[in-house]
């Protein structure tokens, strides 16, 4: 990404929502030397976060996706209703095309990995402040490719009745649609990660899917989400 020079005469006010204090501290350290960016608040994403954001009136919210006891996408949805003028940048430690796809669905202004460089994060904020959007290039390609290819699988087998599914496979499909990772599926179903991987491979074969996002799309169409 090229460096963006903001035309803001006043600082871009940002609010950080992340349940890990070390991440919040790291982001705050990034912005200390950025006169064009001003931190106006932070939260661990728990009860009362919407009120804190509304009170702070930021221009942009840096919002984690996976928050303990909460949900970044749910916070984004509520913000879009209560304060639609606020722009949201999703930032996640999980480079998943499914999360990027969900970000697109929620009409936020961007999705970047937590491992992004200081220059990238600051440039992303300035780009969004100028009215643009910022998306992780590789994940965006994978998400778009997955959506395009999933139509073929959906046309082949649209409903559960056309493909025999074991009860466990049905549960896995539903969890994939919620963006769960293999480790989380393993914990929720109390099965090994190897078993999760094996079942996912079988589901791909049954539905002609090439990747997880296609399986998640199929599960959503079957109202398993």
């Amino acid at each position: 990404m090229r460096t963006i020079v903001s035309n803001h005469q006043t600082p871009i006010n940002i609010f950080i929502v992340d349940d890990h204090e070390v991440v919040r501290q790291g982001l705050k350290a990034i912005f200390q030397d950025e006169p064009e960016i001003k931190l106006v608040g932070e939260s661990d994403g728990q009860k009362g976060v919407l009120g804190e954001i509304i009170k702070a009136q930021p221009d942009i919210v840096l919002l984690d996706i996976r928050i303990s006891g909460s949900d970044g996408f749910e916070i984004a949805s509520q913000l879009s209703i209560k304060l639609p003028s606020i722009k949201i940048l999703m930032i996640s430690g999980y480079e998943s095309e499914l999360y990027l796809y969900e970000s697109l669905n929620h009409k936020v202004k961007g999705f970047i990995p937590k491992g992004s460089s200081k220059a990238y994060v600051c440039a992303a904020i300035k780009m969004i402040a100028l009215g643009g959007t910022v998306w992780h290039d590789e994940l965006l390609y994978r998400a778009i490719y997955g959506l395009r290819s999933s139509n073929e699988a959906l046309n082949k087998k649209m409903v559960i009745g056309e493909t025999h599914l074991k009860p466990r496979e049905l549960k896995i499909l539903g969890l994939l649609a919620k963006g769960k990772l293999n480790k989380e599926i393993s914990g929720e179903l109390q099965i090994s990660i190897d078993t999760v991987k094996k079942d996912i491979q079988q589901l791909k074969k049954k539905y002609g899917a090439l990747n997880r996002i296609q399986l998640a799309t199929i599960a959503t169409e079957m109202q398993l989400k």
Side-chain angles (χ1 to χ4, degrees):
M1 180 189 297
R2 292 180 299 172
T3 300
I4 305 298
V5 179
S6 173
N7 62 2
H8 279 247
Q9 295 181 350
T10 58
I12 303 166
N13 294 326
I14 63 168
F15 192 104
I16 300 171
V17 180
D18 196 295
D19 60 346
H20 292 96
E21 184 177 358
V22 66
V23 174
R24 299 198 304 272
Q25 293 296 332
L27 288 171
K28 287 192 290 185
I30 286 178
F31 304 137
Q32 283 180 349
D33 300 326
E34 290 290 326
E36 293 180 276
I37 300 174
K38 179 183 178 182
L39 179 67
V40 295
E42 62 177 289
S43 171
D44 60 4
Q46 304 306 309
K47 186 176 180 180
V49 61
L50 289 176
E52 294 176 35
I53 295 174
I54 292 172
K55 183 178 179 180
Q57 290 290 306
D59 300 306
I60 298 173
V61 173
L62 269 65
L63 180 58
D64 189 15
I65 293 175
R66 297 176 59 185
I67 299 173
S68 178
S70 186
D71 181 341
F73 290 125
E74 178 61 28
I75 293 173
S77 295
Q78 293 183 38
L79 273 178
S80 66
I81 295 172
K82 295 181 180 294
L83 207 59
S85 62
I86 289 181
K87 299 173 181 178
I88 299 173
L89 172 61
M90 308 303 290
I91 181 166
S92 176
Y94 297 90
E95 298 186 22
S96 164
E97 62 264 37
L98 184 56
Y99 283 161
L100 188 144
Y101 171 59
E102 283 296 323
S103 297
L104 288 167
N105 273 344
H106 282 78
K107 298 180 180 179
V108 300
K109 296 300 180 181
F111 176 104
I112 62 174
K114 283 184 178 178
S116 301
S117 67
K118 172 182 177 179
Y120 189 95
V121 174
C122 292
I125 289 172
K126 293 172 185 178
M127 173 66 82
I128 290 173
L130 289 171
T133 59
V134 179
W135 303 96
H136 187 284
D137 290 348
E138 181 182 349
L139 289 180
L140 182 60
Y141 169 78
R142 281 156 51 185
I144 292 174
Y145 181 78
L147 286 173
R148 182 185 65 190
S149 302
S150 64
N151 289 331
E152 298 176 4
L154 288 172
N155 288 335
K156 291 178 182 177
K157 298 168 181 174
M158 276 294 295
V159 296
I160 298 174
E162 294 179 7
T163 299
H164 175 67
L165 289 178
K166 300 175 183 177
R168 189 175 68 209
E169 291 177 327
L170 185 59
K171 291 178 181 178
I172 289 177
L173 265 183
L175 292 172
L176 284 173
K178 294 178 181 178
K180 299 291 185 178
L181 301 177
N182 288 354
K183 184 177 181 180
E184 295 172 307
I185 295 174
S186 171
E188 290 199 28
L189 300 185
Q190 296 185 340
I191 57 178
S192 70
I193 292 181
D194 286 340
T195 299
V196 174
K197 292 179 179 178
K198 182 179 179 181
D199 284 351
I200 288 176
Q201 289 302 318
Q202 288 299 317
L203 285 167
K204 287 180 182 178
K205 291 180 180 179
K206 288 183 177 183
Y207 284 97
L210 299 178
N211 51 44
R212 295 171 72 95
I213 193 170
Q214 290 183 20
L215 282 178
T217 302
I218 290 168
T220 300
E221 291 293 330
M222 296 189 303
Q223 298 183 343
L224 294 181
K225 188 173 181 180

PDB file of all heavy atoms in Angstrom, residues 31-51:
ATOM      1  N   PHE A  31       0.487   4.697  17.595  1.00  0.00           N
ATOM      2  CA  PHE A  31      -0.117   5.995  17.306  1.00  0.00           C
ATOM      3  C   PHE A  31       0.518   7.162  18.070  1.00  0.00           C
ATOM      4  O   PHE A  31       0.210   8.318  17.780  1.00  0.00           O
ATOM      5  CB  PHE A  31      -1.617   5.948  17.600  1.00  0.00           C
ATOM      6  CG  PHE A  31      -2.339   4.859  16.863  1.00  0.00           C
ATOM      7  CD1 PHE A  31      -3.296   4.070  17.495  1.00  0.00           C
ATOM      8  CD2 PHE A  31      -2.057   4.595  15.529  1.00  0.00           C
ATOM      9  CE1 PHE A  31      -3.951   3.062  16.816  1.00  0.00           C
ATOM     10  CE2 PHE A  31      -2.705   3.583  14.838  1.00  0.00           C
ATOM     11  CZ  PHE A  31      -3.655   2.818  15.488  1.00  0.00           C
ATOM     12  N   GLN A  32       1.385   6.860  19.022  1.00  0.00           N
ATOM     13  CA  GLN A  32       1.987   7.924  19.824  1.00  0.00           C
ATOM     14  C   GLN A  32       2.774   8.920  18.981  1.00  0.00           C
ATOM     15  O   GLN A  32       2.813  10.114  19.285  1.00  0.00           O
ATOM     16  CB  GLN A  32       2.892   7.321  20.906  1.00  0.00           C
ATOM     17  CG  GLN A  32       2.129   6.742  22.088  1.00  0.00           C
ATOM     18  CD  GLN A  32       3.053   6.155  23.140  1.00  0.00           C
ATOM     19  OE1 GLN A  32       4.260   5.991  22.913  1.00  0.00           O
ATOM     20  NE2 GLN A  32       2.506   5.823  24.304  1.00  0.00           N
ATOM     21  N   ASP A  33       3.409   8.426  17.941  1.00  0.00           N
ATOM     22  CA  ASP A  33       4.240   9.291  17.087  1.00  0.00           C
ATOM     23  C   ASP A  33       3.518   9.735  15.822  1.00  0.00           C
ATOM     24  O   ASP A  33       4.155  10.196  14.877  1.00  0.00           O
ATOM     25  CB  ASP A  33       5.538   8.558  16.705  1.00  0.00           C
ATOM     26  CG  ASP A  33       6.369   8.180  17.920  1.00  0.00           C
ATOM     27  OD1 ASP A  33       6.348   8.956  18.901  1.00  0.00           O
ATOM     28  OD2 ASP A  33       7.010   7.121  17.893  1.00  0.00           O
ATOM     29  N   GLU A  34       2.190   9.568  15.798  1.00  0.00           N
ATOM     30  CA  GLU A  34       1.400   9.939  14.628  1.00  0.00           C
ATOM     31  C   GLU A  34       0.512  11.147  14.961  1.00  0.00           C
ATOM     32  O   GLU A  34      -0.567  10.984  15.524  1.00  0.00           O
ATOM     33  CB  GLU A  34       0.534   8.764  14.166  1.00  0.00           C
ATOM     34  CG  GLU A  34       1.310   7.625  13.550  1.00  0.00           C
ATOM     35  CD  GLU A  34       1.894   7.988  12.199  1.00  0.00           C
ATOM     36  OE1 GLU A  34       1.248   8.761  11.451  1.00  0.00           O
ATOM     37  OE2 GLU A  34       2.992   7.509  11.889  1.00  0.00           O
ATOM     38  N   PRO A  35       0.945  12.343  14.624  1.00  0.00           N
ATOM     39  CA  PRO A  35       0.150  13.535  14.963  1.00  0.00           C
ATOM     40  C   PRO A  35      -1.208  13.585  14.279  1.00  0.00           C
ATOM     41  O   PRO A  35      -2.119  14.274  14.751  1.00  0.00           O
ATOM     42  CB  PRO A  35       1.048  14.693  14.501  1.00  0.00           C
ATOM     43  CG  PRO A  35       1.934  14.091  13.453  1.00  0.00           C
ATOM     44  CD  PRO A  35       2.189  12.697  13.911  1.00  0.00           C
ATOM     45  N   GLU A  36      -1.352  12.836  13.178  1.00  0.00           N
ATOM     46  CA  GLU A  36      -2.624  12.851  12.447  1.00  0.00           C
ATOM     47  C   GLU A  36      -3.646  11.872  13.024  1.00  0.00           C
ATOM     48  O   GLU A  36      -4.798  11.835  12.587  1.00  0.00           O
ATOM     49  CB  GLU A  36      -2.384  12.518  10.970  1.00  0.00           C
ATOM     50  CG  GLU A  36      -1.592  13.578  10.235  1.00  0.00           C
ATOM     51  CD  GLU A  36      -1.385  13.180   8.787  1.00  0.00           C
ATOM     52  OE1 GLU A  36      -0.429  12.426   8.512  1.00  0.00           O
ATOM     53  OE2 GLU A  36      -2.195  13.601   7.952  1.00  0.00           O
ATOM     54  N   ILE A  37      -3.215  11.063  13.995  1.00  0.00           N
ATOM     55  CA  ILE A  37      -4.099  10.059  14.585  1.00  0.00           C
ATOM     56  C   ILE A  37      -4.159  10.258  16.096  1.00  0.00           C
ATOM     57  O   ILE A  37      -3.127  10.338  16.758  1.00  0.00           O
ATOM     58  CB  ILE A  37      -3.616   8.637  14.260  1.00  0.00           C
ATOM     59  CG1 ILE A  37      -3.594   8.416  12.746  1.00  0.00           C
ATOM     60  CG2 ILE A  37      -4.515   7.597  14.930  1.00  0.00           C
ATOM     61  CD1 ILE A  37      -2.997   7.084  12.328  1.00  0.00           C
ATOM     62  N   LYS A  38      -5.365  10.326  16.632  1.00  0.00           N
ATOM     63  CA  LYS A  38      -5.553  10.555  18.068  1.00  0.00           C
ATOM     64  C   LYS A  38      -6.433   9.468  18.671  1.00  0.00           C
ATOM     65  O   LYS A  38      -7.532   9.220  18.195  1.00  0.00           O
ATOM     66  CB  LYS A  38      -6.185  11.935  18.307  1.00  0.00           C
ATOM     67  CG  LYS A  38      -6.452  12.248  19.773  1.00  0.00           C
ATOM     68  CD  LYS A  38      -7.128  13.589  19.927  1.00  0.00           C
ATOM     69  CE  LYS A  38      -7.439  13.900  21.393  1.00  0.00           C
ATOM     70  NZ  LYS A  38      -8.152  15.203  21.523  1.00  0.00           N
ATOM     71  N   LEU A  39      -5.931   8.827  19.722  1.00  0.00           N
ATOM     72  CA  LEU A  39      -6.718   7.812  20.429  1.00  0.00           C
ATOM     73  C   LEU A  39      -7.682   8.507  21.386  1.00  0.00           C
ATOM     74  O   LEU A  39      -7.269   9.268  22.260  1.00  0.00           O
ATOM     75  CB  LEU A  39      -5.790   6.886  21.212  1.00  0.00           C
ATOM     76  CG  LEU A  39      -6.473   5.787  22.036  1.00  0.00           C
ATOM     77  CD1 LEU A  39      -7.139   4.775  21.113  1.00  0.00           C
ATOM     78  CD2 LEU A  39      -5.459   5.089  22.948  1.00  0.00           C
ATOM     79  N   VAL A  40      -8.973   8.234  21.225  1.00  0.00           N
ATOM     80  CA  VAL A  40      -9.976   8.867  22.090  1.00  0.00           C
ATOM     81  C   VAL A  40     -10.636   7.859  23.036  1.00  0.00           C
ATOM     82  O   VAL A  40     -11.493   8.237  23.834  1.00  0.00           O
ATOM     83  CB  VAL A  40     -11.062   9.584  21.256  1.00  0.00           C
ATOM     84  CG1 VAL A  40     -10.460  10.745  20.483  1.00  0.00           C
ATOM     85  CG2 VAL A  40     -11.773   8.611  20.314  1.00  0.00           C
ATOM     86  N   GLY A  41     -10.239   6.590  22.949  1.00  0.00           N
ATOM     87  CA  GLY A  41     -10.800   5.612  23.861  1.00  0.00           C
ATOM     88  C   GLY A  41     -10.414   4.196  23.507  1.00  0.00           C
ATOM     89  O   GLY A  41      -9.943   3.922  22.406  1.00  0.00           O
ATOM     90  N   GLU A  42     -10.609   3.306  24.462  1.00  0.00           N
ATOM     91  CA  GLU A  42     -10.330   1.887  24.242  1.00  0.00           C
ATOM     92  C   GLU A  42     -11.259   1.054  25.110  1.00  0.00           C
ATOM     93  O   GLU A  42     -11.809   1.530  26.108  1.00  0.00           O
ATOM     94  CB  GLU A  42      -8.880   1.559  24.583  1.00  0.00           C
ATOM     95  CG  GLU A  42      -8.520   1.817  26.037  1.00  0.00           C
ATOM     96  CD  GLU A  42      -7.090   1.406  26.355  1.00  0.00           C
ATOM     97  OE1 GLU A  42      -6.832   0.180  26.380  1.00  0.00           O
ATOM     98  OE2 GLU A  42      -6.254   2.299  26.571  1.00  0.00           O
ATOM     99  N   SER A  43     -11.452  -0.210  24.725  1.00  0.00           N
ATOM    100  CA  SER A  43     -12.330  -1.098  25.466  1.00  0.00           C
ATOM    101  C   SER A  43     -11.929  -2.537  25.215  1.00  0.00           C
ATOM    102  O   SER A  43     -11.359  -2.866  24.174  1.00  0.00           O
ATOM    103  CB  SER A  43     -13.794  -0.883  25.050  1.00  0.00           C
ATOM    104  OG  SER A  43     -14.630  -1.873  25.606  1.00  0.00           O
ATOM    105  N   ASP A  44     -12.233  -3.403  26.186  1.00  0.00           N
ATOM    106  CA  ASP A  44     -11.986  -4.829  25.998  1.00  0.00           C
ATOM    107  C   ASP A  44     -13.155  -5.509  25.303  1.00  0.00           C
ATOM    108  O   ASP A  44     -13.171  -6.734  25.132  1.00  0.00           O
ATOM    109  CB  ASP A  44     -11.694  -5.511  27.334  1.00  0.00           C
ATOM    110  CG  ASP A  44     -12.839  -5.390  28.332  1.00  0.00           C
ATOM    111  OD1 ASP A  44     -13.901  -4.840  27.975  1.00  0.00           O
ATOM    112  OD2 ASP A  44     -12.661  -5.830  29.489  1.00  0.00           O
ATOM    113  N   GLY A  45     -14.173  -4.730  24.910  1.00  0.00           N
ATOM    114  CA  GLY A  45     -15.286  -5.263  24.146  1.00  0.00           C
ATOM    115  C   GLY A  45     -16.395  -5.883  24.973  1.00  0.00           C
ATOM    116  O   GLY A  45     -17.322  -6.468  24.417  1.00  0.00           O
ATOM    117  N   GLN A  46     -16.316  -5.754  26.283  1.00  0.00           N
ATOM    118  CA  GLN A  46     -17.337  -6.359  27.141  1.00  0.00           C
ATOM    119  C   GLN A  46     -18.532  -5.418  27.307  1.00  0.00           C
ATOM    120  O   GLN A  46     -18.680  -4.448  26.569  1.00  0.00           O
ATOM    121  CB  GLN A  46     -16.717  -6.715  28.498  1.00  0.00           C
ATOM    122  CG  GLN A  46     -15.499  -7.623  28.400  1.00  0.00           C
ATOM    123  CD  GLN A  46     -15.746  -8.898  27.616  1.00  0.00           C
ATOM    124  OE1 GLN A  46     -16.707  -9.624  27.871  1.00  0.00           O
ATOM    125  NE2 GLN A  46     -14.885  -9.174  26.629  1.00  0.00           N
ATOM    126  N   LYS A  47     -19.378  -5.693  28.279  1.00  0.00           N
ATOM    127  CA  LYS A  47     -20.610  -4.945  28.498  1.00  0.00           C
ATOM    128  C   LYS A  47     -20.345  -3.448  28.574  1.00  0.00           C
ATOM    129  O   LYS A  47     -19.430  -2.992  29.245  1.00  0.00           O
ATOM    130  CB  LYS A  47     -21.283  -5.415  29.793  1.00  0.00           C
ATOM    131  CG  LYS A  47     -22.646  -4.803  30.029  1.00  0.00           C
ATOM    132  CD  LYS A  47     -23.275  -5.395  31.281  1.00  0.00           C
ATOM    133  CE  LYS A  47     -24.655  -4.786  31.524  1.00  0.00           C
ATOM    134  NZ  LYS A  47     -25.282  -5.354  32.751  1.00  0.00           N
ATOM    135  N   GLY A  48     -21.142  -2.681  27.854  1.00  0.00           N
ATOM    136  CA  GLY A  48     -21.021  -1.226  27.886  1.00  0.00           C
ATOM    137  C   GLY A  48     -20.160  -0.641  26.791  1.00  0.00           C
ATOM    138  O   GLY A  48     -20.001   0.584  26.711  1.00  0.00           O
ATOM    139  N   VAL A  49     -19.608  -1.487  25.915  1.00  0.00           N
ATOM    140  CA  VAL A  49     -18.695  -0.995  24.889  1.00  0.00           C
ATOM    141  C   VAL A  49     -19.380  -0.019  23.932  1.00  0.00           C
ATOM    142  O   VAL A  49     -18.781   0.991  23.524  1.00  0.00           O
ATOM    143  CB  VAL A  49     -18.052  -2.170  24.109  1.00  0.00           C
ATOM    144  CG1 VAL A  49     -19.114  -3.005  23.405  1.00  0.00           C
ATOM    145  CG2 VAL A  49     -17.043  -1.646  23.092  1.00  0.00           C
ATOM    146  N   LEU A  50     -20.638  -0.278  23.583  1.00  0.00           N
ATOM    147  CA  LEU A  50     -21.341   0.622  22.656  1.00  0.00           C
ATOM    148  C   LEU A  50     -21.488   2.006  23.255  1.00  0.00           C
ATOM    149  O   LEU A  50     -21.278   3.014  22.573  1.00  0.00           O
ATOM    150  CB  LEU A  50     -22.713   0.046  22.299  1.00  0.00           C
ATOM    151  CG  LEU A  50     -22.730  -1.190  21.401  1.00  0.00           C
ATOM    152  CD1 LEU A  50     -24.143  -1.693  21.217  1.00  0.00           C
ATOM    153  CD2 LEU A  50     -22.105  -0.881  20.056  1.00  0.00           C
ATOM    154  N   GLY A  51     -21.831   2.059  24.532  1.00  0.00           N
ATOM    155  CA  GLY A  51     -21.968   3.347  25.197  1.00  0.00           C
ATOM    156  C   GLY A  51     -20.655   4.100  25.253  1.00  0.00           C
ATOM    157  O   GLY A  51     -20.617   5.328  25.072  1.00  0.00           O
TER     158      GLY A  51
END
